[in-house]
Amino acid sequence: MSLFKPIYAVVQRDLIKFSRQKGRVLSSLVRPLIWLVVIGAGFNSIVTTDGNDYFEFLVPGVLGMTILFGALLGSLSMVYEKESGVMRMILVSPLTHRSIVFAKMAAATCSAIVQATLLIVVLLALGYIDLSVDWFLLVVGMFILSVTCSGIGMLVASFSKTLDNFAAIMNFVIFPVFFLSGSLYPITNLPYALKVLAQANPYTYGVDILKHGILVPNGGTSDIPLIISFIVLIVFTIAAFFIASWRFSLEDTTSIWFPRQRKK
């Protein structure tokens, strides 16, 4: 119980900050809708999806996009708190480095799930999703993909010392992760080299679970067996958590979080 309270406090603080960022919430809805309506219309004439309507095929992809962007931006708070000095107060709390990473991942996961849930409501209202989907599998897929994406975000944050570094690494990570995932097209149609990269991308397996929940009940197809997707995501998330915790524990707290004043 003594460990739960400080973890809950860190998660609650990040979620309160998220709830006050109305622009971030709005952009999490506008971005995927632009991809669905504008990009979907263009790709619909050139992409083959085994006879399925491309707009239907794109729904799991834009839902995964919302989770990916939401979780990665949620991890930004770790880097911001390094620069602003807030991390000093967290470090003197009863939390271990591993507990801090866990709390930050939990907060990023919650914010991603909230944004994805809001998008589902909008997609239901617009008719892009109907009630015939496998809701249990969809919810489970959203949860595990959110945890995995928060793990990716914490890996980036643990190796970033400044906001500028985080932004640079994020741009290098987020677009290859998204485009090489089967979100926009089936990975079976990719050239061999790109297919290998897509299969090495953990985000691919999360999007495929969403396909199992949304497309398969309506006669659509997926690229990867469900059990393999779950195993890959679980193994990667555990590895990401321990690597981020290890990297976080190696930070030189005396020089980074308690910088010495330079002599003039």
Side-chain angles (χ1 to χ4, degrees), residues 29-41:
L29 298 177
V30 173
R31 183 190 305 111
L33 291 177
I34 291 176
W35 275 87
L36 185 61
V37 176
V38 179
I39 305 298

Side-chain angles (χ1 to χ4, degrees), residues 13 28 57 73-74 94 120 126 139 145 163 173-174 185 192 226:
R13 178 179 178 275
S28 69
F57 176 85
L73 289 178
I120 288 179
L126 296 177
V139 171
L145 180 57
L163 291 174
V173 170
I174 197 168
Y185 27 71
Y192 177 77
L226 198 57

Side-chain angles (χ1 to χ4, degrees), residues 57-208:
F57 176 85
L58 197 57
V59 169
V62 297
L63 184 60
M65 173 199 291
T66 301
I67 293 174
L68 176 64
F69 278 78
L72 292 182
L73 289 178
S75 303
L76 178 65
S77 64
M78 172 70 84
V79 184
Y80 173 76
E81 288 170 0
K82 286 182 184 181
E83 282 199 326
S84 64
V86 176
M87 189 58 66
R88 302 179 187 181
M89 296 181 287
I90 299 179
L91 285 173
V92 298
S93 71
L95 289 172
T96 63
H97 290 116
R98 189 173 298 173
S99 299
I100 294 174
V101 172
F102 177 83
K104 291 295 183 180
M105 285 182 62
T109 298
C110 291
S111 64
I113 291 176
V114 170
Q115 294 173 65
T117 302
L118 292 174
L119 179 62
I120 288 179
V121 173
V122 174
L123 293 177
L124 279 170
L126 296 177
Y128 287 105
I129 293 181
D130 55 40
L131 298 178
S132 63
V133 302
D134 188 336
W135 289 103
F136 175 76
L137 185 56
L138 178 58
V139 171
V140 173
M142 287 170 52
F143 173 76
I144 191 170
L145 180 57
S146 298
V147 177
T148 300
C149 290
S150 68
I152 296 174
M154 287 310 304
L155 279 177
V156 176
S158 65
F159 285 91
S160 304
K161 295 183 178 180
T162 65
L163 291 174
D164 291 337
N165 288 344
F166 183 85
I169 298 176
M170 185 67 69
N171 289 331
F172 179 76
V173 170
I174 197 168
F175 291 108
V177 166
F178 175 70
F179 286 112
L180 292 175
S181 65
S183 297
L184 303 178
Y185 27 71
I187 62 173
T188 54
N189 297 344
L190 294 175
Y192 177 77
L194 295 180
K195 185 186 299 184
V196 171
L197 291 176
Q199 291 173 341
N201 179 8
Y203 178 70
T204 299
Y205 300 87
V207 172
D208 203 72

